[in-house]
Amino acid sequence: GQQVMQIPQYQHVQEGEDFTTYCNSSTTLSNIQWYKQRPGGHPVFLIQLVKSGEVKKQKRLTFQFGEAKKNSSLHITATQTTDVGTYFCAGSDGAGSYQLTFGKGTKLSVIP
Amino acid sequence: DTGVSQNPRHKITKRGQNVTFRCDPISEHNRLYWYRQTLGQGPEFLTYFQNEAQLEKSRLLSDRFSAERPKGSFSTLEIQRTEQGDSAMYLCASSLDGVGYTFGSGTRLTVV
């Protein structure tokens, strides 16, 4: 079945440093979504990417979808303590399945 | 709209007992999903409804698990003969045509 892998599993950064998490799928995706889960909270939708090579920005967050639609990345510029949480990518292969397959997430800690 | 509502928030049950969880999705959303999340993992797909029809069910899902969505409104997830391995956070999510899931706060199940 479809697998979605994320690296790194954990990342500790000093406040103000940049952060990047990478997501790789075993199959070509029809779309990829990113979620953020704060400690003790539930996943919150950030963005969806659909097109090959797509790049989207949300303030300090930049999301990319690979040309082959098998990988994606999330980059945060100048991290803040409010960025703390676990970031998940989730992909759908669209092959007759409606389910999103989530990666294990990257847990971000920001040291003030 | 108050978002996706799940009840109860916590459930402690003895092994072998049956439990039922309820999810009230966002009323405008046509799709409803159940996921399960354990510590340090991403959400794992359980089942999907479009309106009242259950269109997809995880192959990993034991026959002790059943879900319903009568009249396409709220949904229930029942686990029969609970086992310790069923202990997890059970998350419900809804979406409009699959773009961006809105998750509820979840039901934390502990089987003792």
Side-chain angles (χ1 to χ4, degrees), chain A residues 34-75:
Chain A
W34 285 90
Y35 291 79
K36 176 184 178 181
Q37 186 171 22
R38 293 182 186 272
H42 54 274
V44 174
F45 174 70
L46 296 176
I47 207 159
Q48 174 174 277
L49 305 172
V50 178
K51 299 177 183 176
S52 169
E54 189 169 14
V55 178
K56 286 189 176 181
K57 292 189 177 184
Q58 287 180 349
K59 296 182 180 179
R60 295 179 293 105
L61 278 61
T62 302
F63 304 84
Q64 292 189 331
F65 201 8
E67 294 290 340
K69 300 183 74 173
K70 294 183 73 173
N71 57 73
S72 181
S73 66
L74 158 60
H75 179 83

Side-chain angles (χ1 to χ4, degrees), chain B:
Chain B
D1 198 327
T2 56
V4 177
S5 176
Q6 289 189 247
N7 289 288
R9 291 294 302 274
H10 304 274
K11 179 70 177 179
I12 300 174
T13 190
K14 291 184 178 179
R15 190 175 51 185
Q17 296 292 306
N18 299 344
V19 294
T20 300
F21 311 140
R22 177 179 170 124
C23 172
D24 288 89
I26 293 174
S27 55
E28 297 83 14
H29 288 179
N30 57 349
R31 299 189 182 186
L32 186 147
Y33 314 83
W34 285 98
Y35 278 77
R36 175 172 63 189
Q37 187 175 28
T38 53
L39 198 61
Q41 302 294 316
E44 174 191 24
F45 173 78
L46 295 179
T47 192
Y48 156 68
F49 289 85
Q50 181 152 326
N51 301 314
E52 68 274 11
Q54 186 175 20
L55 296 187
E56 193 168 352
K57 190 174 176 181
S58 170
R59 280 171 283 177
L60 301 175
L61 205 60
S62 158
D63 58 5
R64 296 183 296 105
F65 288 70
S66 62
E68 294 183 344
R69 193 184 182 195
K71 302 179 182 178
S73 55
F74 70 93
S75 176
T76 58
L77 177 69
E78 181 183 17
I79 309 174
Q80 295 183 327
R81 305 181 302 281
T82 51
E83 302 172 357
Q84 287 192 320
D86 297 331
S87 295
M89 177 71 83
Y90 288 83
L91 294 165
C92 176
S94 67
S95 76
L96 184 62
D97 297 328
V99 180
Y101 291 13
T102 301
F103 281 88
S105 297
T107 295
R108 181 169 296 283
L109 173 66
T110 303
V111 181
V112 297

